[in-house]
């Protein structure tokens, strides 16, 4: 890089610096987006675990208060739902512990904050019209050092959501945003689908018991 840049005119070095700033800014946005996504996923899973735990308690108490009005089928169904909810709680708890989302989110935020400082310095050098090979290499080294110190990689969906905001194609923008937010909210969507399925099964069995 040193031999190549030394032969480049000052305008070319400024163009390289502008490109580098754009790359760092994109990485910074993706880092902060990843931090927000991980925090939301952690909160969603915690919410689902909490509601499932409440469901287990509720389904366990129902036979104690309404035993006379319940059929054997309904009691079996409640037992089945308790088993399903218990399995969901165990799986989500293991998933929560293995992913370590809170720790990764903090690393993403720290790296994003350090990138803000690097970008600020790069812009200051560019605005002063004093871009040299040495200063350019220093900025590159600082950028690489941030990436090395925080060995966490954002997912493609983070870049998709950020990139969609700058996409001039309206339909692609809506499509990317819709898919991105669907992926981020997948735990809530799954929980909603599960609740609707649970409600449908209860109504179905209730109607059979009346007939």
């Amino acid at each position: 890089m040193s031999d190549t840049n030394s032969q480049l005119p000052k305008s070319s070095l400024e163009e390289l610096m502008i490109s580098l700033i754009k790359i760092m800014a994109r990485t910074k946005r993706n880092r902060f987006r990843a931090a927000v996504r991980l925090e939301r996923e952690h909160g969603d899973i915690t919410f689902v675990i909490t509601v499932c735990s409440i469901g287990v308690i509720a389904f366990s108490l129902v036979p104690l208060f309404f035993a006379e009005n319940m059929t054997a089928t309904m009691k079996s169904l409640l037992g089945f739902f308790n088993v399903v909810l218990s399995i969901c709680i165990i799986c989500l708890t293991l998933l929560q512990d293995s992913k370590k989302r809170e720790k990764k989110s903090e690393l993403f935020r720290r790296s994003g904050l350090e990138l803000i400082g690097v970008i600020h310095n790069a812009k200051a050098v560019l605005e002063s019209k004093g871009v040299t090979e040495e200063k350019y290499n220093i900025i590159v080294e600082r950028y690489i050092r941030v990436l090395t110190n925080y060995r966490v990689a954002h997912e493609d969906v983070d870049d998709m959501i950020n990139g969609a905001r700058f996409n001039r194609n309206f339909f692609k923008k809506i499509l990317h945003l819709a898919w991105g937010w669907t992926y981020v909210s997948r735990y809530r969507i799954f929980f909603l689908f599960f609740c609707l399925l649970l409600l449908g099964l209860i109504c179905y069995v209730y109607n059979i018991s009346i007939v």
Side-chain angles (χ1 to χ4, degrees):
M1 180 182 294
S2 177
D3 295 338
T4 302
N5 288 345
S6 61
Q7 299 176 359
L8 292 175
K10 189 173 181 180
S11 59
S12 298
L13 286 172
E14 291 180 351
E15 291 176 1
L16 288 175
M17 184 68 79
I18 293 174
S19 299
L20 179 61
I21 290 174
K22 290 180 179 180
I23 293 173
M24 293 190 296
R26 182 172 183 174
T27 303
K28 178 206 68 176
R29 290 193 300 268
N30 290 340
R31 291 297 169 101
F32 282 118
R33 172 56 56 189
V36 172
R37 173 178 56 79
L38 290 174
E39 289 174 357
R40 180 170 180 175
E41 289 179 358
H42 180 81
D44 288 350
I45 293 180
T46 303
F47 171 77
V48 174
I49 292 175
T50 302
V51 175
C52 287
S53 301
I54 295 173
V56 170
I57 296 173
F59 288 148
S60 300
L61 293 177
V62 167
L64 298 178
F65 295 97
F66 303 98
E68 298 179 356
N69 300 325
M70 294 180 63
T71 63
T73 304
M74 295 181 68
K75 292 180 180 179
S76 299
L77 184 64
L78 287 177
F80 171 74
F81 286 151
N82 263 343
V83 172
V84 173
L85 290 177
S86 299
I87 293 174
C88 289
I89 293 172
I90 294 173
C91 293
L92 290 175
T93 302
L94 293 175
L95 179 65
Q96 189 83 302
D97 293 337
S98 64
K99 292 295 184 178
K100 299 180 180 179
R101 289 183 172 84
E102 287 184 316
K103 181 178 180 180
K104 289 182 179 179
S105 176
E106 181 64 22
L107 292 176
F108 276 124
R109 285 195 181 279
R110 289 182 181 178
S111 63
L113 291 173
E114 289 197 19
L115 284 174
I116 290 177
V118 179
I119 293 171
H120 178 75
N121 291 341
K123 287 182 177 180
V125 172
L126 186 63
E127 292 173 357
S128 66
K129 303 296 182 180
V131 182
T132 62
E133 175 190 351
E134 181 181 1
K135 292 181 179 180
Y136 174 79
N137 289 336
I138 290 174
I139 297 297
V140 172
E141 289 175 1
R142 290 188 60 188
Y143 175 53
I144 295 175
R145 192 181 305 120
V146 172
L147 298 182
T148 304
N149 292 340
Y150 300 94
R151 293 184 178 277
V152 285
H154 58 264
E155 296 185 10
D156 292 339
V157 67
D158 301 314
D159 188 59
M160 180 185 296
I161 294 176
N162 285 326
R165 298 182 178 182
F166 303 97
N167 197 325
R168 296 182 179 180
N169 189 313
F170 177 77
F171 294 102
K172 286 186 177 180
K173 180 177 182 178
I174 296 300
L175 181 62
H176 289 174
L177 285 176
W179 164 245
W181 288 115
T182 300
Y183 178 83
V184 173
S185 306
R186 62 191 182 279
Y187 295 108
R188 291 193 180 190
I189 294 173
F190 170 77
F191 179 71
L192 178 61
F193 174 78
F194 178 78
C195 289
L196 293 175
L197 179 62
L198 179 64
L199 180 61
L201 287 174
I202 292 176
C203 293
Y204 178 73
V205 174
Y206 179 73
N207 290 332
I208 290 179
S209 64
I210 292 179
V211 175

